[in-house]
């Protein structure tokens, strides 16, 4: 990794630095702005290198310094991050299923006994329909599975990081 000044004091790109936008994004509500940078004949001094885990010799040779445990620390950080993503997905699914189940238990649609007069017969809740129960309970089971799997992964990742 290197530190590099890419803009001057007037906030314009430095010589040899090209900053480009990747265009409009769909589905993000224009809250994200992605772009890329192209460097053309830009020389970065070796002193600007963040040389904790690597070096560049004066003749331009790249050397990765291996310190004890740094690879495991970096890997464990990635594992914990991914485990957190799994747990977050399970929590989001559980919230969605809870909302849908509560709504299905209250919302009525269709009559229980279609032979009786329509204005007197009680209506069924959406949860009374087999297809609705199947869809909701399938997602509920998935949320539980992700929840327990996330807990187990947290346990495994904590033993890995020790």
């Amino acid at each position: 990794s290197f530190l590099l000044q890419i803009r001057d004091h007037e906030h314009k790109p430095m010589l040899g630095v090209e900053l480009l936008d990747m265009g409009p994004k769909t589905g993000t509500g224009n809250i994200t702005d992605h772009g890329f940078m192209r460097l053309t004949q830009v020389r970065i001094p070796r002193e600007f290198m963040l040389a904790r885990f690597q070096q560049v010799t004066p003749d331009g040779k790249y050397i990765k310094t291996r310190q004890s445990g740094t690879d495991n620390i970096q890997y464990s950080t990635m594992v914990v991050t991914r485990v957190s993503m799994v747990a977050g997905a399970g929590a989001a699914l559980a919230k969605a299923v809870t909302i849908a189940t509560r709504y299905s238990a209250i919302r009525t649609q269709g009559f229980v006994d279609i032979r009786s007069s329509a204005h007197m017969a009680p209506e069924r809740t959406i949860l009374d329909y087999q297809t609705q129960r199947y869809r909701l309970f399938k997602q509920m089971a998935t949320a539980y599975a992700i929840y327990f799997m996330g807990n187990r992964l947290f346990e495994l990742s904590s033993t890995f990081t020790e």
Side-chain angles (χ1 to χ4, degrees), residues 89-121:
L93 180 59
K95 287 179 186 177
V97 171
T98 300
I99 292 167
T101 304
R102 288 178 179 171
Y103 179 78
S104 297
I106 295 170
R107 173 77 163 89
T108 57
Q109 179 177 317
F111 297 104
V112 175
D113 185 9
I114 59 172
R115 290 174 292 176
S116 67
S117 61
H119 67 281
M120 300 292 286

Side-chain angles (χ1 to χ4, degrees), residues 26 43 59 76 83 88 94 112 122 129 141 146 153:
T26 57
R43 187 176 186 281
D59 59 340
S76 66
V83 167
V112 175
Y129 292 98
I146 293 173
L153 287 174

